[in-house]
Amino acid sequence: MLQASENNFVFLIFVASFIISLFARFLPTVEIYIALFVMLSAVFVFFFAQFRLKLSYSFLPVILFVLAALVIYHFSDYKYNVRNELYILLSSAILYLLNSLLKDNERKNILFVLVFIAILLSIYIFSAVALSFILTNRFEVFLTKELHAMICFLLCVLPLSFIFWKPGNKLYFYVSIALFLAIMLTKSILATTIASAQFCMFLFSVRNELKIKPATIVSPFCLSFATNSIFLIKSRFFSLTFNTWLKLLPAAKENLLFGVGFGNCNSASSFFCGAEYTSNMFLKILIETGILGTAAFIFVIIAFLANVLKKLECEQNKKVYFCILISLLSFLVYNFFNSSAFVSTNFLLLFFLLSYPTNVCVVEKRKTKVNFYCILAIFLPFSLAVSYPVYSSQNYKKAITFINAQKYLSAEKEILKALKGDCLNPKYMSKLSDIYFIRYQTIANSNEYYLDLAIEAANEALFLNKYKPYHYYQLSYLYKIKGNEQLSLKYINKALKIDANNPLYKSFYNDFGKPSISIPASSTTENIKIAYS
């Protein structure tokens, strides 16, 4: 068993993980993914050195899901994106394992922290709506991907706030109402419907304990649920979503066994079937990890349901596990029509909920502990290697600064440094091609040397990410400058096949057969593709 100080350490790691994930602002941020992975890996290595962990069969589905994602990485095309998503998947798996080291009261304290975070997010939504009203005289919030992810988090935490309700103390009741109002203010009908259902289920289950009258307390939320459900049906929400799923099926069929790589769904969907957004978490997992990964993920959910139903048979902490069940079901239902699960905060929350009723390992003290300095000697180089993309992003920012200052040689050096630390990033390679092209334009008597280098770098960028249409357009333009119109036409057709409505690509395609125009050097903007227009 762990000592009190060790339990406190694990609890602090959980709290730190959720707080660090918030710095990503519910967006896929590589630096945050790496920070979480390095921190949680260090904790896992420390405990493995000090304790013997006897894993139960409940952890097997998670291991299979992670292994499937790791194997698929080697078959994927856009490895940079897959690698970044694997960081958050591995971090969540470690969190899933560490949760079994905590006692019930410490897990409950983490639930309290999550409720506190939700309160802060609610304040943010209230202030955003108030600011919108001051500026436009309308209560309006635009449902961006960031806000969808925030709504997903609030929906999961709302049932967790029910755990802290006590007869005679209405503080947490008002907290739950505040979270509900924040969800309503986003004007997401689906989220409001689910939140209303959460209140209905919980209030009805504790009507005797809290001594409430269902007719006066439960009825308003039932009415809200019914009204919003009717709005959803009338708005053709389900039929439109179903049609989006049908568009995504070709992407799933093309990569049915292994998928396109964890995190590659949006890029692959655009490439295979022209759909830019995946509105179903399970379909997204199917496209990314194939049948093997999807089956493993479903087994993770089945393991959770089996464990939580066993816990509900006991009277001890029955309310806690019932709220956990409502929370996870809400997460799954909302993400059945959305894909807001795949940001750091929500993914950590998902695996925390999945592990809550599950004891995946038994901890025993090692008789012979692993030498701390040996661990440090191995882990430090590992953490530095993992952190290279963070340093590379700083080199990339310096390169952009040099480009804006028209110092192309310095920009080239910084981009090459960035590629040395993160050779899988197609954005860096594409930017190197831009720099070579500008140098070809600005250096007299270059004899097409820099143009050839630009084409070589653009081909490498396309190799790193074949899903992005801009890489095809970039090659098409460079080959046209080179005088190879056959290859130029080939690549612009591929760009239009992926993104047929892009005005830049259409305009360039329409210029074929016309006299070539000279393109003036332009380097005053961050994105040098303007020079290609």
Side-chain angles (χ1 to χ4, degrees), residues 177-332:
I177 294 296
L179 298 182
F180 180 76
L181 291 175
I183 293 170
M184 285 186 64
L185 285 174
T186 61
K187 295 187 178 180
S188 171
I189 301 175
L190 175 63
T192 307
T193 306
I194 296 172
S196 302
Q198 290 173 346
F199 265 99
C200 291
M201 288 187 288
F202 180 75
L203 287 172
F204 188 79
S205 68
V206 296
R207 62 190 182 281
N208 296 326
E209 179 186 340
L210 298 179
K211 299 179 181 180
I212 58 176
K213 298 179 180 179
T216 57
I217 302 297
V218 182
S219 297
F221 293 103
C222 290
L223 182 62
S224 173
F225 173 77
T227 305
N228 284 285
S229 298
I230 293 170
F231 282 149
L232 277 177
I233 295 169
K234 282 189 173 182
S235 66
R236 297 177 60 227
F237 171 80
F238 296 109
S239 59
L240 292 173
T241 305
F242 183 71
N243 288 335
T244 305
W245 296 347
L246 290 178
K247 288 182 181 179
L248 293 167
L249 287 179
K253 289 179 181 177
E254 286 285 337
N255 306 273
L256 192 59
L257 186 60
F258 292 108
V260 296
F262 193 71
N264 264 349
C265 180
N266 290 340
S267 301
S269 300
S270 178
F271 181 81
F272 287 110
C273 49
E276 296 181 357
Y277 184 65
T278 311
S279 56
N280 184 306
M281 179 180 72
F282 294 95
L283 185 56
K284 182 178 170 71
I285 291 175
L286 176 63
I287 293 171
E288 292 179 350
T289 62
I291 293 176
L292 299 177
T294 306
F297 183 72
I298 291 172
F299 279 132
V300 174
I301 296 173
I302 292 173
F304 164 84
L305 292 174
N307 285 298
V308 80
L309 290 176
K310 286 182 182 178
K311 298 288 185 180
L312 288 173
E313 292 175 358
C314 306
E315 289 299 323
Q316 186 179 8
N317 292 327
K318 187 175 182 179
K319 184 172 78 171
V320 174
Y321 289 109
F322 183 66
C323 291
I324 293 291
L325 178 61
I326 295 175
S327 179
L328 185 78
L329 291 177
S330 302
F331 188 98
L332 296 178

Side-chain angles (χ1 to χ4, degrees), residues 47 114 249 257 288 412-413 421 456 483 492 517 521:
F47 272 96
L114 293 173
L249 287 179
L257 186 60
E288 292 179 350
E412 180 187 344
K413 289 179 180 178
E456 184 182 346
I492 194 61
I517 55 173

Side-chain angles (χ1 to χ4, degrees), residues 440 443 445-455 481-483:
Y440 162 74
I443 296 176
N445 301 320
S446 61
N447 297 322
E448 297 190 351
Y449 170 73
Y450 282 108
L451 180 59
D452 291 335
L453 287 178
I455 291 172
I481 296 294
K482 182 78 172 174

Side-chain angles (χ1 to χ4, degrees), residues 12-56:
L12 290 174
I13 289 298
F14 268 79
V15 175
S17 299
F18 282 107
I19 292 174
I20 290 172
S21 69
L22 287 174
F23 285 99
R25 296 175 296 176
F26 290 92
L27 293 171
T29 307
V30 178
E31 291 82 1
I32 300 300
Y33 288 1
I34 292 174
L36 285 169
F37 177 66
V38 170
M39 181 185 72
L40 290 170
S41 298
V43 174
F44 175 75
V45 170
F46 166 77
F47 272 96
F48 182 77
Q50 301 294 320
F51 304 95
R52 180 177 285 106
L53 308 179
K54 293 185 177 179
L55 300 178
S56 67

Side-chain angles (χ1 to χ4, degrees), residues 1 61 80 96 110 113 140 189 264 270 272 297 300 320 343 356 388 393 401 416 423 428 435 488 490 504 527:
M1 293 295 292
Y80 169 78
Y96 185 97
I110 293 173
V113 172
E140 189 171 16
I189 301 175
N264 264 349
S270 178
F272 287 110
F297 183 72
V300 174
V320 174
V343 293
Y356 199 95
Y388 272 139
S393 67
T401 304
L416 289 173
C423 60
Y428 298 169
I435 293 170
S488 180
K490 171 187 173 182
L504 182 62
N527 196 342

